[in-house]
Structures are given as C-alpha cells and as structure tokens.
Amino acid sequence: MISSPEIVDLSDVAEDLYRDPYAVLAALRARGPAHFVRLPNGSEVWLIVGYDEALAALGDPTLIKNWLRATGRIGPGAIGANMISSDPPDHTRLRRLVSREFTARRVAALVPRVEAIAVELLDRMDSGAGPHDLIAGFAFPLPVAVISELLGVPFLDRTEFSGLCGRIMASAGDATSTEKDIEEINRYFDGLIERKRADPGEDLLSALIRVTDEDADRLSHAELRATTFLLLVAGHVTSTNLIANGVLALLDHPDQLAALRADWELLPRAVEEILRYDGPQPFSTRRFTTTHWPVGDSGTVIPPGETVMIALAAASHDPARFPRAGDFDIHRTTPGHLAFGHGIHYCLGAPLARVQVSTALRVLLNRFPALSLSCGADRSWRRTLISRGVTDLPVLLR
C-alpha cells in the first residue's frame, strides 16, 4: 500500500488539460493506471486513467458517491437528494421512480419535435450573414427547447428558462457563480412544481409528481427539484457540448464527414465514435473509498477514505481497449466507451442525448452540404473538467 504517494500536479498543465486532455492523460496512463493528482482547483484526488481499472471503479459498490456519508460534510454545489450523489438503497429507490416515467417510449416520442426544432433554428441562422456561431444559434438552443418541452416548461417561461440554462453553462468552473445560478433555478423549479401539482399535464415533470412504486412511495419535493435539475443538466449541457464536439470532429476529419454523407446508415456508429473520441464529460464526479482498493494488478492500493475520480476521456482513449485510439473513425466497431459512465450510475439521459445529437447532425449536414469552420477562428475551451466543449463555434454555412 502507498502511504505517501507522489503527487502529480496537474495545475501545472491546466491549460493543456482544458484544451487537449487526451495528451496529458495519455502521458499519465503510460506511467500507470492510477495516480494521486492535484487538480487545477487545488483539490487532491486519486485519478484512474486505465480502461479496465476505470470500468472496475465505475461498477464497484465499495466506491461510494454520498459526500455526507464519506466526508461528514455536504459536497460543493449540492442540489439535494439525487441519483448522482447517492448510494443504494437510496439510489435504487430514486432511479426506480424516475425510470418509471423517463422511458424509451417518452424519448422516442420526442424525435419529431427535435427535428422540427432543429429545422426552425437552422432557418433562423440561414437568414443572417455569416459567419455564424453554431453554439449560440443551434447547439445550445436545441437542447434547451427539447428539455423545456420534456419537462413541460410553459412557452411564456422559455426565454427566462433559456437564460438560466445559459448562465449555468457559462459559469461552469466558477463555484461562486454556479451556486447563485443553482439557487435561482431552484426557485424557478419550486414554482413550476407547484403549478404542475395544481394543473398537471402530459409532460415528464407532471408524471414525476404523480409517480409511485409498488410500495406507494413517491418523490419528495426536494427530490423532485433535484431530479429536475439533473435532467436539465443532462438535457442541455451534455447535449450542447456533444453536438458541438461532433461537428468539430467531423469538420476536422473531412474523410469521415464524406463517408457519413455517403451513407447515413453510419450515423449511429458516428455518434458512438464522437462520444468516445471527444465526449462531453471527460471526468466523472467523485467517489470515495470505503476500504483498501487495489487498482487492478498494478500494485497500487488506494487507502480507505480517499477521493477517486475516473478520467472517462483517458479510458475511452486507452489503446489497450481501442486500437488506434487517437484516430476518429466512424467505422469503428469496438464497443464499450465510457462517455456515459457504467454500472448503476450509467447516465439516465443517454438515450435523449443520442437522439438529439443524431438528429442535429443529420438535419444540419443535409441542410448545409458546404458547412465549414470559419477561417482563423481560435478554439476556446470551457475551463472545467466535468464538461468539455468550446465556448463558441464560428462556421460558414455555404
């Protein structure tokens, strides 16, 4: 067991980590599957960078998610009882209740609206002179509109709701701003939940208010609010970055873009490769060891009471799992990327994210066959480890 591990100070390479985490993480992985690191925000954690070890960590129930149980304090940015920061049996109950209503059928029913919203947004972009910011005009408003319809946000509230979503996305990595934005959107959700109780509809939030299980259990108000917040984040931040990262990957690899245009049957594979190659969440949320945790057969054992993060980006680029891992290849057939996690905390919003990015890419690329990046545009990446995406994406439509 390592009693005083060497600290790898990632704050020294913070800009590289935001801009191109894959190179930084590959260098770490070459030295071993797990390292004790200091993150750019100053916190010290064990970071898992190997694929097999990441898969094991994501699926191990001895690595817990509950901050209060593990540390005796509430974690930063806490939003109440939710699936991400809970363990069984609490997690089991919450996921069961939400899964009863956030179904594949409900997501599939959204497909025509996703396509209609995408067409409407591209109509607006096409009416103005270029270059156009694809994030401001398309990749951001599309998921916001979709999550608004899914949750049943009233039409007259959507401008306010979109502004709240934008501030949460813009303040990622700024703890003070994020806390203020969370407080404001929680106040909005409090009011929306009360309105839905009085006048329910066919939307997901109304369904979550009504849902019960075989024991007549239901979600409390705090659980409803926290669940709604999670759906908001999963429904717009992840999808915004996924759409933008996907467009970037395809435009950076014209041979792959040409292959997709020539055969739209490749679209599902292209989406999975985008998720693997440059997914929207490069690092997992935190877990905590409850016992001595051996990192595979590396000889490293993480002591109990330690904080663990999984570098999803490193795992999905591990050449031991994915041959030519640094290549973007929409014909790739190797399954198992970890962009949406693994195990009991596998992202519940994954089907919705897949629907949105596949629809967005198909509608966008068919509408604008000559779509290209604006010449000379510098890429500015968001300064956060939890969410990967550019702040803007200037493109030429024709």
Side-chain angles (χ1 to χ4, degrees):
M1 180 176 67
I2 301 176
S3 56
S4 299
E6 174 190 357
I7 296 180
V8 179
D9 195 346
L10 295 183
S11 62
D12 291 341
V13 291
E15 294 306 316
D16 294 332
L17 199 59
Y18 299 134
R19 186 182 66 253
D20 181 11
Y22 306 102
V24 174
L25 295 172
L28 276 180
R29 191 176 54 244
R31 296 164 51 188
H35 301 273
F36 191 59
V37 305
R38 181 176 295 117
L39 299 176
N41 65 5
S43 59
E44 296 176 355
V45 305
W46 284 91
L47 187 65
I48 309 295
V49 293
Y51 179 87
D52 289 341
E53 295 77 14
L55 197 67
L58 290 168
D60 193 328
T62 68
L63 295 179
I64 63 173
K65 298 295 294 292
N66 188 310
W67 273 79
L68 187 61
R69 176 184 165 197
T71 69
R73 55 191 175 87
I74 298 174
I79 58 172
N82 67 87
M83 290 178 286
I84 286 182
S85 61
S86 63
D87 305 299
D90 296 327
H91 174 273
T92 307
R93 169 184 166 273
L94 288 169
R95 188 159 182 129
R96 182 178 64 242
L97 285 168
V98 176
S99 297
R100 282 176 177 264
E101 295 299 335
F102 192 27
T103 61
R105 178 180 298 179
R106 188 180 290 274
V107 171
L110 278 172
V111 172
R113 281 300 295 150
V114 176
E115 182 165 348
I117 294 166
V119 169
E120 179 183 344
L121 290 170
L122 293 180
D123 284 345
R124 293 179 192 171
M125 287 182 63
D126 201 17
S127 64
H132 302 268
D133 181 2
L134 196 68
I135 292 179
F138 186 63
F140 171 73
L142 175 61
V144 171
V146 171
I147 199 65
S148 294
E149 298 211 359
L150 180 69
L151 293 174
V153 174
F155 183 80
L156 292 177
D157 288 3
R158 291 188 183 180
T159 299
E160 175 190 1
F161 187 71
S162 178
L164 289 169
C165 292
R167 288 202 298 280
I168 287 174
M169 189 164 180
S171 64
D174 182 338
T176 303
S177 297
T178 301
E179 291 287 349
K180 293 177 181 176
D181 294 328
I182 288 174
E183 288 178 8
E184 185 172 353
I185 204 161
N186 276 343
R187 284 195 296 271
Y188 175 80
F189 284 145
D190 283 341
L192 183 59
I193 289 168
E194 290 311 307
R195 281 184 281 169
K196 293 294 181 183
R197 287 191 194 279
D199 186 20
E202 297 303 314
D203 52 86
L204 178 59
L205 183 52
S206 295
L208 291 175
I209 291 170
R210 294 189 299 262
V211 70
T212 59
D213 65 11
E214 57 272 13
D215 299 319
D217 192 12
R218 62 176 62 241
L219 296 167
S220 69
H221 179 86
E223 290 167 345
L224 269 170
R225 188 174 67 178
T227 297
T228 305
F229 183 90
L230 289 180
L231 292 173
L232 165 67
V233 173
H236 97 272
V237 175
T238 297
S239 295
T240 293
N241 289 334
L242 185 53
I243 292 167
N245 292 0
V247 171
L248 264 178
L250 288 165
L251 293 180
D252 280 342
H253 299 84
D255 59 325
Q256 300 299 303
L257 176 56
L260 179 59
R261 289 189 188 279
D263 181 6
W264 283 102
E265 294 296 319
L266 287 171
L267 183 56
R269 282 192 191 176
V271 170
E272 298 311 305
E273 180 65 351
I274 290 165
L275 283 160
R276 184 202 69 82
Y277 179 78
D278 201 11
Q281 184 177 347
F283 294 82
S284 74
T285 52
R286 299 180 182 214
R287 287 162 168 78
F288 306 92
T289 54
T290 57
T291 184
H292 291 99
W293 198 80
V295 183
D297 58 3
S298 67
T300 296
V301 178
I302 302 175
E306 294 288 305
T307 304
V308 174
M309 290 178 67
I310 296 96
L312 305 173
S316 291
H317 275 238
D318 190 337
R321 172 69 184 187
F322 301 100
R324 309 181 329 279
D327 293 350
F328 178 66
D329 180 7
I330 67 171
H331 297 88
R332 189 183 298 274
T333 57
T334 309
H337 69 73
L338 300 179
F340 288 126
H342 171 72
I344 65 170
H345 290 284
Y346 182 83
C347 178
L348 195 64
L352 180 60
R354 286 186 169 103
V355 161
Q356 291 185 86
V357 70
S358 59
T359 303
L361 290 176
R362 178 172 48 79
V363 173
L364 174 68
L365 297 176
N366 278 327
R367 175 71 174 271
F368 300 114
L371 181 74
S372 63
L373 296 171
S374 179
C375 293
D378 293 328
R379 296 179 190 177
S380 175
W381 293 91
R382 299 191 181 281
R383 296 176 58 81
T384 171
L385 298 183
I386 295 299
S387 179
R388 175 162 170 79
V390 288
T391 57
D392 52 58
L393 183 55
V395 297
L396 300 174
L397 303 180
R398 291 185 170 82

